[in-house]
Every structure is written in C-alpha cells, then in structure tokens.
Amino acid sequence: MTESISIPPVALPPLGTDPPRAAYIHVPFCVHRCGYCDFTLVAGRDDLMDDYLEALELELRRQVQTQRTLDTLFLGGGTPSHLTVPALKKLFTLLNEWFELTTGYEFSIEVNPAGLSIEKMDLFREAGINRISLGLQSFDDEILRTLERDHRYADIEQVVPQLQERFENVSFDLIFGAPGESLDLWQETLTRAISFQPQHISTYGLTYEKGTTFWKRRERGELVQQPEEVEQKMYDRAMSFLPGQGYDQYEISNFAQAGFACRHNQVYWNGYSYYGLGPGAARYLDGVRTTNHRSVFNWLNRTLAGGSGDGETEELNPEEKARELAVIQLRTIPGIPIGPFHERSKFDLFDLAGPVIDHYVESGWLEMTDSHVRLTKAGRFVADTLVVDFL
Ligand code: SF4
C-alpha cells in the first residue's frame, strides 16, 4: 500500500457529511457453517472465489468515487483467511489499486486458526495488514466441538506464536455460554487467553439466531441453553478479571491493552462515514445507510450482471441520525459525550432523551458524569433492552 501523511480532522463534522475514511470488505467464504452462525457466507463453495473478486471490483467501481484515502480497512467474514493464496493476492492487488492508506493506518483481517499457513501470514504482512482478529472462541476442545468449529487447541497453540512473530496487534475473539460450559471453564479460557498476551480481546455471549442449526437443535431439546444468570456471571467475570490483567474494557464486548482499541470500530461508534463492500456489507455514505443483499448468490448475480448489489437503503432524518448515534455511543464504556454529541448531531441530548435518561439513572442502569451519559456496570447487562428506548 502507498502511504501518505494523515491529517486527522480537528473539528467534528456534522453527522453524515464527512468523507469516508474507512472501508469494510465482507469475504463470504467458510469451510463449513458453524451451528450458531447466521452471517452472510457460503460454505464449501470455493469455486465462487473468482466470481466474488470480479464482483467486488465492479462494486468498488460503483461505490468508490473520489475519496480513496483510508485510515482503517477491515476484512471480515466469513473467513477471509480461507481465500486461497492466488485469491488473496488478487484481493490485495485490487485493494491496493483502489485505496491508499494513511500513515498510522489500521488494516485488520479476520482469520481462523484452521488452515492458516505461514505463506498466508507472510502474504498478509506484505499486503500491509497490521492487525489480526483471530476467531478462537474457546481453548477447550469439547466446547470447540460443540460450537462446530473446525480448529482445536493444538491449532491455536501452533498459530498464535506464528502470528505474534509477524504482527504486533493480535486480537482474540472468545465466546461464553456454550452448552455445557461452566463458570470455572470460562475462567480457564480467560486465563489461557491472557497467557498469550494478545493486545485485544473480544467476548461474546452465544446467541441462538432463528434459522440456525443451533436454534433448531435447542427447539428439539438437543442443546440446552445456559440460564441467563450463568451467562451474566460469565460476562461479569470477563469484566472483573480482564481489566486487572491490563485489558481495559472500552465497549460492551471489547477489552484492550493501552493503545490497542480497535480504530475501525470507533468509526462506527462515532457515526462516521464508511464504505461497505461485499454481500451483506453495510455502508454509510452521505448520511444514507445501505446494506448489500445478504444472499451471496443474489449479490453476485446482480453485481456481475452490471447492476447494483444494494439490498436495503435507509435515509435517516436528522433526529433519527442523532438517536442512532446516541444508541451506538451508549455501547461504549465512556458513553455519550454530551458536548461532542451536540456538536455533531445539532441535538441536545437531554431534549432528545431526557425522560429516558432520568428513568434509567433512577433504575441504576445509567449514570451521568460532568461530560458523559454512560451505562453503569449493571446497565451493561441490559444494554440491548435499554438502548431501544433511545430510538
Ligand atoms: S467460521 Fe465464523 S463466519 Fe464461518 S461459519 Fe463459523 S462462525 Fe460463521
């Protein structure tokens, strides 16, 4: 990637007016579909990789106009690391042609331990990738089997040091609340995770999305979902254990060593514009949110036919934009910055949501500081329910 000098914005631009300085590329390929996964992807269809790359190029042409300088680039999936070496090379060439990364950029890729070769790791480095998001989920083989993951602890033990030799910013994704997982086992997972000293850790509770194999198996009684109080104890354990080990919580699901909070996510959480390419990817440009077709085949067919891969488009009015910003920022640990919120949205937070804030402050789920409205620790457990009242 060509580097240029980055001049960070000094004033906060009003919502929806900033040029995009971030891009998300969705890579929809996996070896197989894990039982709990409802992401946009195809499993066992590596034959579609060439079509995907062709469609991606067409979408870049349609979507990316003048603004090509990025602070952050994120390859997510699916499993981007599952692309073959020739496909990865083609993808990186394409991105290099279309985007220029600023000095101090962040370029992330999601990878899975299974099938991750040294050749691919070296290729990532050559392409300028400087942040690895590693989908580990657990260190326990039994839990990995239950989650239908295709890696085992032996794979983790092998690839983590290999990645850490090459990258200074490695993040672990972990899942808690798998069937059969005890609080002690979750604690072992956390302890094992920090023994590797990754720079960043994300923890997610297992969800049973309608339509997934897990959802059906739970309906049939084959899988027993953890009681809510067990899941809460596990989340609470992560929140109490990780900060003491040098990982500050900066968002509901995210913990990082100092200086390693994910910069790409900050773009979403601050309501900045971004490109989104690939099936199911969302973008936010000129104040309009567009989500591409979630079906990989629809997106491919339409894009390859010279049309648009757009699925839903939503243009929010100024008040809706402000409310959405409040919801996203509430998920961060510092919360909603009252002054900058007004500066960007042109709405006073308390005119917009005063009664809701008062109500939840009284419940003990929100608190106010001189500069922010934020979730309390108790509020983090119920954030998904609470934020709906801000809309
Ligand atoms: S590897 Fe990740 S993206 Fe692929 S099926 Fe499993 S959970 Fe979904």
Side-chain angles (χ1 to χ4, degrees), residues 17 41 48 51 66 108 116 130 179 187 229 279 317 319 321 335 349 353 361 364:
T17 63
L41 61 92
L48 294 176
D51 284 349
T66 49
S108 306
L116 190 57
N130 57 11
Q187 174 63 59
E229 56 277 17
N317 66 38
E319 182 178 331
K321 277 184 203 158
L349 180 61
V361 167

Side-chain angles (χ1 to χ4, degrees), residues 26-27 29-43 77-80 110 112 135 137 147-151 175:
H26 191 79
V27 185
F29 298 98
C30 284
V31 178
H32 79 283
R33 187 180 281 275
C34 306
Y36 60 92
C37 180
D38 77 335
F39 295 153
T40 294
L41 61 92
V42 282
T79 310
E110 288 180 347
N112 279 340
Q137 318 313 347
L147 292 173
E148 302 179 7
R149 301 293 302 199
D150 52 10
H151 67 270
I175 284 182

Side-chain angles (χ1 to χ4, degrees), residues 376-389:
T376 59
K377 194 172 175 195
R380 290 176 209 164
F381 292 103
V382 291
D384 288 343
T385 317
L386 183 154
V387 295
V388 173
D389 288 343

